[in-house]
């Protein structure tokens, strides 16, 4: 099998990319290919798949010599046989300069690969807005990008969307990829019990997981005189953003007159900002403010619960580098939120896209569709439940929560430093003005950002695919 697949590491790519075709016509699709065909003959041609990691260590973030790594090799073997091609996997370069490499390369008009892969903070969104990617709306017959069981919901597609058109997909049925980079509340049920607190799963099962009951935990918690023991460890700005989402704020939404607008000046937004400030003021001695991804306090049992990324609890630090037996919960629902539409956002997509000047985009789309199929031989089912029950969580309810929490996730447009990020950072200031004053300081900047970046996606796609039935 390894003889069939050519894994080629490029120490340095002398570089090339594809010319932008934003606004231009898409190439005519080949007529001989159907998504239902059993095989497509490419006559031994080479198909190039890009990734960002060192091929000596991992394959699409699956560590070397693991079951998923081996399964991916077998998947590429199947693709080679189906399409009669040679699949070449190339390293596109280090993560920190990948965007620069692409920007410097596009002027050549060369195609760097047939299929691109990106991970981390919204490279896909940048590439899509610049016109470097092929629109998936032109390839519906070859890739089922609206299959939420396979590729996630509209909120995940938003991470690589421009003017309502999706340009990339993420294989959410791959281990560790489900709702990647979104947040859950990880907690230690044994410590909760030992301190006389209600196990959080009881709130989930009785549908009472609200701000009020969340805050009641802080009122009840007594560390028994133990220094440096906290109920929660969380980054304050992100706690504030989750509060906004959980109270129904979408940043772009329709008003009562059916007009799309920025909604951070509405009453639910002000209530969320005030509530977040209240939590960090009234319970300052019970919350440890930590760095963005830091789960150290929780792992060392200095905090009973913490914010954690979904990947942290499935393939990251909490799963493999901690001895804590943990469970998870969504962020609690605010009084103006819709219960069960769990507040969350994704800071970046880990997904596959097609270069805009690919001369056979339908082939690439069909291959991505095949590549991203669930690995039933590992997961045991098409929705990862069996795998998570057996390999990650002690309580099957945690698997259910993990698979539910991302259904109303929205993309967080992290790359725009002058928009949403500044507003979030303002929620984390030591000296905080009132909610109305804070919104007044940032509204114009956020409004412009929402109108230019979010509204075209929200109006043309996101609302109809996530919120139309509200």
């Amino acid at each position: 099998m390894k003889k069939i697949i050519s894994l080629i590491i490029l120490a340095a790519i002398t570089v090339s990319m594809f010319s932008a075709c934003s606004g231009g016509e898409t190439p005519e699709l080949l007529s001989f290919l159907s998504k239902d065909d059993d095989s497509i003959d490419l006559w031994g041609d080479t198909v190039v798949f890009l990734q960002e990691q060192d091929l000596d260590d991992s394959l699409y973030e699956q560590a070397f010599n693991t079951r998923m790594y081996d399964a991916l090799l077998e998947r590429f073997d199947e693709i080679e046989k189906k399409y009669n091609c040679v699949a070449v996997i190339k390293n596109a370069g280090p993560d920190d300069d990948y965007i620069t490499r692409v920007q410097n390369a596009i002027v050549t008009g060369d195609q760097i690969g047939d299929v691109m892969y990106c991970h981390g903070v919204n490279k896909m969104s940048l590439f899509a807005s610049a016109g470097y990617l092929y629109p998936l709306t032109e390839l519906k017959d070859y890739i089922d990008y609206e299959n939420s069981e396979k590729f996630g919901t509209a909120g995940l597609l938003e991470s690589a969307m421009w003017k309502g058109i999706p340009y990339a997909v993420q294989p959410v049925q791959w281990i560790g990829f489900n709702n990647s980079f979104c947040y859950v509340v990880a907690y230690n049920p044994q410590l909760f019990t030992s301190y006389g607190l209600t196990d959080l799963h009881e709130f989930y099962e009785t549908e009472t997981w609200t701000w009020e009951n969340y805050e009641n935990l802080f009122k009840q918690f007594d560390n028994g005189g133990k220094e440096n023991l906290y109920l929660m460890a969380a980054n304050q700005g992100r706690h504030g953003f989750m509060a906004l989402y959980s109270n129904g704020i979408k940043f772009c939404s329709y008003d009562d007159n059916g007009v799309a607008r920025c909604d951070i000046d509405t009453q639910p937004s002000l209530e969320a900002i005030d509530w977040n400030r209240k939590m960090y003021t009234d319970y300052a001695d019970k919350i440890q403010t930590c760095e963005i991804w830091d789960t150290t306090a929780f792992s060392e049992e200095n905090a009973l619960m913490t914010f954690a990324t979904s990947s942290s609890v499935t393939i990251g630090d909490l799963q493999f580098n901690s001895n804590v037996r943990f469970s998870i919960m969504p962020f609690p629902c605010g009084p103006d939120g819709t219960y069960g539409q769990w507040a969350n956002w994704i800071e970046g997509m880990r997904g596959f896209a097609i270069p805009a000047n690919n001369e056979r985009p339908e082939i690439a789309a069909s291959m991505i569709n095949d590549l991203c199929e669930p690995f039933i031989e590992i997961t045991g089912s098409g929705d990862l439940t069996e795998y998570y029950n057996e390999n990650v969580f002690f309580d099957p309810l945690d698997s259910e929560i993990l698979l539910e929490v991302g259904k109303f996730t929205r993309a967080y447009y992290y790359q725009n430093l002058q928009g949403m990020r500044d507003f979030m950072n303002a929620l984390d200031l030591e000296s905080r003005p009132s909610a109305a004053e804070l919104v007044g300081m940032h509204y114009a900047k956020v409004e412009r950002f929402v109108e230019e970046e979010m509204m075209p996606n929200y109006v043309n796609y996101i609302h109809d695919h996530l919120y139309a039935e509200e």
Side-chain angles (χ1 to χ4, degrees):
M1 176 170 54
K2 293 186 179 179
K3 292 180 181 179
I4 296 175
I5 302 177
S6 303
L7 297 179
I8 299 177
I9 304 175
L10 300 184
I13 291 181
T14 305
V15 344
S16 56
M17 193 64 184
F18 27 84
S19 56
C21 69
S22 181
E25 294 186 7
T26 56
E28 183 178 354
L29 301 182
L30 301 182
S31 59
F32 69 84
L33 176 64
S34 167
K35 65 179 180 179
D36 296 323
D37 283 347
D38 292 328
S39 62
I40 297 93
D41 197 341
L42 295 181
W43 301 92
D45 198 4
T46 296
V47 180
V48 177
F49 292 79
L50 296 179
Q51 74 160 16
E52 294 182 62
Q53 297 78 38
D54 186 340
L55 293 170
D56 283 339
D57 298 324
S58 65
L59 180 58
Y60 294 131
E61 301 186 71
Q62 305 301 328
F64 174 72
N65 207 26
T66 61
R67 292 174 66 197
M68 274 292 289
Y69 183 97
D70 292 339
L72 269 172
L73 289 181
E74 292 178 6
R75 180 64 54 82
F76 275 108
D77 188 9
E78 295 167 1
I79 287 174
E80 287 189 317
K81 291 176 179 177
K82 175 178 178 179
Y83 296 87
N84 186 19
C85 67
V86 177
V88 176
I89 306 171
K90 290 185 178 180
N91 182 9
D95 175 72
D96 57 356
D97 69 354
Y98 186 51
I99 294 175
T100 301
R101 284 172 179 264
V102 171
Q103 291 172 333
N104 291 340
I106 58 171
V107 294
T108 66
D110 294 331
Q111 181 178 310
I112 197 171
D114 292 273
V115 174
M116 293 179 62
Y117 174 78
C118 292
H119 76 282
V121 178
N122 277 348
K123 298 184 190 71
M124 285 297 191
S125 179
L126 289 170
F127 293 157
S129 63
Y132 305 159
L133 305 179
Y134 202 97
L136 297 185
T137 47
E138 300 290 329
L139 301 166
K140 282 187 174 182
D141 288 339
Y142 310 101
I143 182 167
D144 187 13
Y145 61 84
E146 290 192 332
N147 182 342
S148 61
E149 295 296 323
K150 183 174 181 178
F151 294 121
T153 61
L156 180 54
L157 292 177
E158 188 182 12
S159 295
M161 190 176 289
W162 180 245
K163 295 184 178 179
I165 296 174
Y167 286 85
V169 292
Q170 177 171 304
V172 297
Q173 295 310 324
W174 287 14
I175 296 170
F177 276 58
N178 190 274
N179 304 326
S180 180
F181 302 121
C182 76
Y183 286 91
V184 293
V185 175
Y187 74 99
N188 187 326
Q190 294 174 321
L191 283 182
F192 263 72
T193 301
S194 67
Y195 282 88
L197 299 174
T198 302
D199 188 312
L200 301 187
H201 278 176
E202 292 188 23
F203 295 116
Y204 188 87
E205 292 177 314
T206 57
E207 298 186 356
T208 56
W209 185 225
T210 61
W211 282 4
E212 181 181 4
N213 283 327
Y214 176 72
E215 187 174 349
N216 283 338
L217 294 170
F218 287 85
K219 294 176 180 177
Q220 298 165 16
F221 177 66
D222 183 341
N223 66 8
K226 293 184 179 180
E227 196 172 338
N228 297 323
L229 179 63
Y230 304 90
L231 178 57
M232 167 63 93
N235 175 274
Q236 185 172 341
R238 278 157 173 74
H239 192 278
F241 241 51
M242 294 287 272
L244 287 162
Y245 276 114
S246 71
N247 210 33
I249 298 305
K250 302 181 178 73
F251 294 91
C252 176
S253 60
Y254 289 111
D255 63 18
D256 293 338
N257 297 316
V259 177
R261 64 183 297 273
C262 176
D263 62 10
I264 66 167
D265 62 338
T266 60
Q267 190 59 36
S269 175
L270 301 181
E271 290 174 357
I273 294 170
D274 279 335
W275 178 75
N276 186 60
R277 181 176 58 244
K278 179 178 182 292
M279 292 296 297
Y280 274 81
T281 300
D282 293 358
Y283 311 107
D285 59 334
K286 300 180 181 183
I287 304 177
Q288 183 191 59
T289 299
C290 59
E291 296 298 326
I292 298 172
W293 307 110
D294 187 11
T295 57
T296 303
F298 180 75
S299 297
E300 295 178 351
E301 299 193 1
N302 291 324
L304 275 62
M305 57 182 172
T306 188
F307 272 179
T309 64
S310 55
S311 55
S312 291
V313 302
T314 56
I315 59 171
D317 17 338
L318 290 185
Q319 172 65 10
F320 294 116
N321 300 324
S322 171
N323 293 321
V324 173
R325 175 173 172 171
F326 63 88
S327 284
I328 63 171
M329 285 286 283
F331 193 84
C333 187
D336 290 302
T338 302
Y339 196 90
Q341 293 185 7
W342 299 111
N344 228 312
W345 80 88
I346 290 180
E347 292 195 347
M349 174 181 275
R350 304 156 76 190
F352 294 96
I354 303 167
N357 68 341
N358 190 325
E359 295 180 355
R360 51 188 184 191
E362 70 290 347
I363 295 286
S366 183
M367 287 183 172
I368 292 172
N369 203 53
D370 291 340
L371 179 64
C372 295
E373 285 291 328
F375 291 92
I376 303 298
E377 68 274 23
I378 295 177
T379 63
S381 64
D383 65 1
L384 291 176
T385 300
E386 184 176 328
Y387 176 85
Y388 286 142
N389 285 346
E390 293 181 359
N391 298 281
V392 178
F393 299 116
F394 292 94
D395 188 334
L397 184 57
D398 291 311
S399 298
E400 175 186 322
I401 291 170
L402 184 68
L403 296 172
E404 282 290 320
V405 77
K407 290 185 176 179
F408 287 86
T409 296
R410 296 289 308 278
Y412 170 44
Y413 295 71
Y414 189 84
Q415 77 275 10
N416 188 299
L417 301 181
Q418 301 304 313
M420 301 279 274
R421 189 177 183 183
D422 284 356
F423 180 61
M424 184 184 72
N425 289 342
L427 302 176
D428 199 11
L429 295 176
E430 290 293 331
S431 176
R432 296 178 295 278
S434 68
E437 290 172 327
L438 187 148
V439 167
M441 292 165 57
H442 291 270
Y443 186 81
K445 187 163 46 179
V446 175
E447 180 185 39
R448 179 180 176 184
F449 171 76
V450 167
E451 290 178 350
E452 293 178 357
E453 302 285 339
M454 296 186 70
M455 192 174 294
N457 292 337
Y458 185 86
V459 173
N460 294 317
Y461 193 95
I462 296 299
H463 178 267
D464 288 343
H465 288 76
L466 279 184
Y467 305 113
E469 296 182 0
E470 283 188 12

